[in-house]
Amino acid sequence: MVAPWLIFFFSLFSFTTLSSASSTYEDLLKSAREPEFFTWMRSIRRKIHQHPEIGFEEYKTSELIRYELEALGIDYVWPVAKTGIVASIIGSRENPQFALRADMDAVQELADLEYKSQLDGKMHACGHDAHVAMLLGAANLLQRLKSNLKGTIKLVFQPGEEGYAGANHMLEEGALDDVEAIFCVHVDHTLPTGSISSSAGTLLGSADTFEVVIKGKGGHAAALHRTADPVLAACSAILSLQQLISRETDPLESRIITVGFMKGGEAHNIIPESVTFGGTFRSMDTEGLYILKQRIREVIEAQSAVHRCTATIKFMDNAYPATINDEKLYNLARSVAVSLVGEANVRPFPRLMGAEDFGFFSQRMPAALFTVGVRNESVGSIHTTHSPYFMIDEEVLPVGAAFHAGVALTYLERKVSLF
């Protein structure tokens, strides 16, 4: 039985049926912008926004997606990686198989919206609610072209992007074993609404986190010689970590180590038994990340030993690899973008140290990540992702849906000459 909160406006839209010969990118965008279609996508996005769920807890989100897929007559496999979904639109033949991916999880919201989050401490501050709405919009468009598809389109609704490596879990379960290439869209607060951006090659960095507990011997500040001070050991270790960048990293390579927190005792005159600190480290290439990981461990353990303390270091279970755009798939997607929004609105993407678990997919198969702009000062869509004030201009939804659909259609059409 469908949960009451899931029962909201849904309609089979009365726009002209698209055929293989006439389904130009402009047709896709025009269809996605029709009032009923746009209202449907917006309602999905707002329902998800009101019920944000963190990694591997996306139960209501998953239920909503399954409801919409069933209404569209699209088969799916669930659960994948606990809450994820992989749906399939199979055309005139099963292969080739191309995947479109949307992440589902959330990250308290301060924006005063009529559809603001109803759960304290959680919000969709990275646009994943919009990603799901856009992919469902693409599913609707593609399902109407099902008989003309020259292969299979997989719709990947992924859990746990925000620090949980959900992409890796889906891959480990074999959910995408038959997929030849994958594409995704991410909202971008730096670009005007509807603009599109990406670049070939390494797009986003690799990332890991570390948490350290340094144990010493506590005591009174008046008798320091009877203690083994973990505060001093932690400070020495933190300062030494910075030298891994300034003295051991090629200045032409991009690497970062950041310590984000440090916690110790509570009294002014007492040396604590232990100190905890942690942070993140990043590299534009995955190999550099593992070099940093080894050296971080060595430096912290050595500095702890110098001060007669011991250190326990914990790293992320699944470090995020660099996100690398396959050049051929990038060129294909860019050509679709130009046809959709015009050459002037397609821009190169500046490489960033930010990480995305889409990198796990790019390690396994040709992959491409593009961003679509949501910046619109007139509606207040100006804040960065993960800001408590983050919001999007919902006019981006038709662009994202048409872009997804256009890339998938073009891949299947050109597959023989591509790979």
Side-chain angles (χ1 to χ4, degrees):
M1 184 174 184
V2 177
W5 78 275
L6 289 174
I7 302 175
F8 60 93
F9 174 83
F10 179 83
S11 172
L12 291 179
F13 309 101
S14 57
F15 60 90
T16 304
T17 301
L18 301 171
S19 68
S20 179
S22 65
S23 59
T24 64
Y25 308 126
E26 293 83 0
D27 291 332
L28 292 170
L29 185 54
K30 181 180 178 181
S31 297
R33 281 176 169 162
E34 289 192 359
E36 287 184 311
F37 198 105
F38 175 73
T39 299
W40 169 67
M41 281 195 294
R42 184 178 62 187
S43 68
I44 290 172
R45 185 253 162 178
R46 292 186 176 188
K47 284 290 183 181
I48 296 172
H49 192 90
Q50 288 178 309
H51 299 84
E53 298 169 301
I54 62 173
F56 300 118
E57 296 181 6
E58 306 96 339
Y59 298 108
K60 287 186 177 180
T61 304
S62 179
E63 187 177 3
L64 167 60
I65 294 167
R66 300 195 312 273
Y67 172 78
E68 296 296 343
L69 291 171
E70 289 168 5
L72 290 169
I74 297 175
D75 294 331
Y76 60 83
V77 175
W78 173 86
V80 180
K82 194 171 183 178
T83 54
I85 303 164
V86 177
S88 299
I89 303 176
I90 303 174
S92 58
R93 56 188 180 189
E94 185 174 354
N95 292 309
Q97 297 190 23
F98 183 74
L100 301 172
R101 172 264 204 172
D103 34 17
M104 306 189 300
D105 55 323
V107 284
Q108 165 86 56
E109 173 175 52
L110 299 182
D112 188 17
L113 304 171
E114 60 178 301
Y115 53 90
K116 70 182 296 182
S117 169
Q118 297 178 11
L119 299 176
D120 289 341
K122 301 175 184 178
M123 71 171 289
H124 274 286
C126 202
H128 297 185
D129 49 348
H131 299 167
V132 172
M134 290 187 289
L135 186 52
L136 283 171
N140 194 321
L141 295 171
L142 292 166
Q143 180 70 349
R144 295 167 183 274
L145 298 170
K146 179 176 179 179
S147 61
N148 295 315
L149 296 179
K150 297 179 179 179
T152 298
I153 297 172
K154 297 278 190 177
L155 309 169
V156 180
F157 296 92
Q158 180 210 305
E161 190 279 325
E162 298 287 354
Y164 296 89
N168 191 49
H169 287 278
M170 296 192 91
L171 289 169
E172 287 182 344
E173 291 190 15
L176 279 72
D177 281 354
D178 296 328
V179 170
E180 297 181 6
I182 190 167
F183 173 78
C184 83
V185 167
H186 200 294
V187 296
D188 188 338
H189 75 281
T190 68
L191 296 176
T193 299
S195 295
I196 295 175
S197 178
S198 193
S199 294
T202 302
L203 197 71
L204 299 170
S206 56
D208 201 346
T209 62
F210 62 95
E211 185 167 318
V212 183
V213 178
I214 295 182
K215 292 185 178 181
K217 181 180 179 182
H220 200 281
L224 292 174
H225 59 289
R226 295 175 182 168
T227 71
D229 189 350
V231 176
L232 181 59
C235 290
S236 297
I238 291 171
L239 288 174
S240 296
L241 288 178
Q242 304 310 308
Q243 295 173 17
L244 298 181
I245 305 301
S246 67
R247 290 295 180 269
E248 296 187 16
T249 299
D250 185 330
L252 299 180
E253 297 178 356
S254 300
R255 296 177 190 171
I256 290 173
I257 298 176
T258 298
V259 175
F261 73 91
M262 182 176 180
K263 298 181 289 187
E266 297 180 354
H268 292 82
N269 62 340
I270 299 297
I271 305 299
E273 289 287 332
S274 67
V275 168
T276 301
F277 68 90
T280 181
F281 57 105
R282 298 162 185 265
S283 172
M284 284 308 295
D285 62 275
T286 306
E287 181 183 359
L289 192 75
Y290 293 114
I291 293 172
L292 281 180
K293 181 177 180 178
Q294 179 62 29
R295 291 294 290 135
I296 287 170
R297 181 182 297 279
E298 292 171 354
V299 165
I300 292 172
E301 289 178 345
Q303 288 295 335
S304 298
V306 165
H307 296 283
R308 297 174 294 140
C309 298
T310 60
T312 301
I313 308 165
K314 181 180 179 181
F315 296 96
M316 189 187 297
D317 289 336
N318 292 294
Y320 281 23
T323 296
I324 302 172
N325 275 354
D326 177 81
E327 185 173 2
K328 291 181 179 179
L329 186 55
Y330 160 78
N331 287 333
L332 181 152
R334 188 184 186 282
S335 70
V336 175
V338 169
S339 296
L340 277 177
V341 300
E343 182 79 41
N345 294 311
V346 179
R347 312 179 184 186
F349 186 87
R351 299 199 315 167
L352 296 177
M353 278 290 194
E356 232 278 1
D357 81 347
F358 192 72
F360 287 108
F361 294 127
S362 72
Q363 282 190 317
R364 191 73 65 88
M365 66 189 77
L369 182 153
F370 276 64
T371 67
V372 290
V374 295
R375 189 174 186 85
N376 185 344
E377 294 185 10
S378 68
V379 298
S381 180
I382 59 174
H383 300 285
T384 64
T385 54
H386 290 217
S387 162
Y389 296 98
F390 178 77
M391 60 178 293
I392 71 163
D393 179 1
E394 293 174 318
E395 295 298 323
V396 75
L397 298 177
V399 178
F403 192 23
H404 271 301
V407 170
L409 288 169
T410 306
Y411 179 90
L412 295 184
E413 288 284 345
R414 301 183 187 175
K415 197 276 170 181
V416 173
S417 61
L418 256 181
F419 299 108

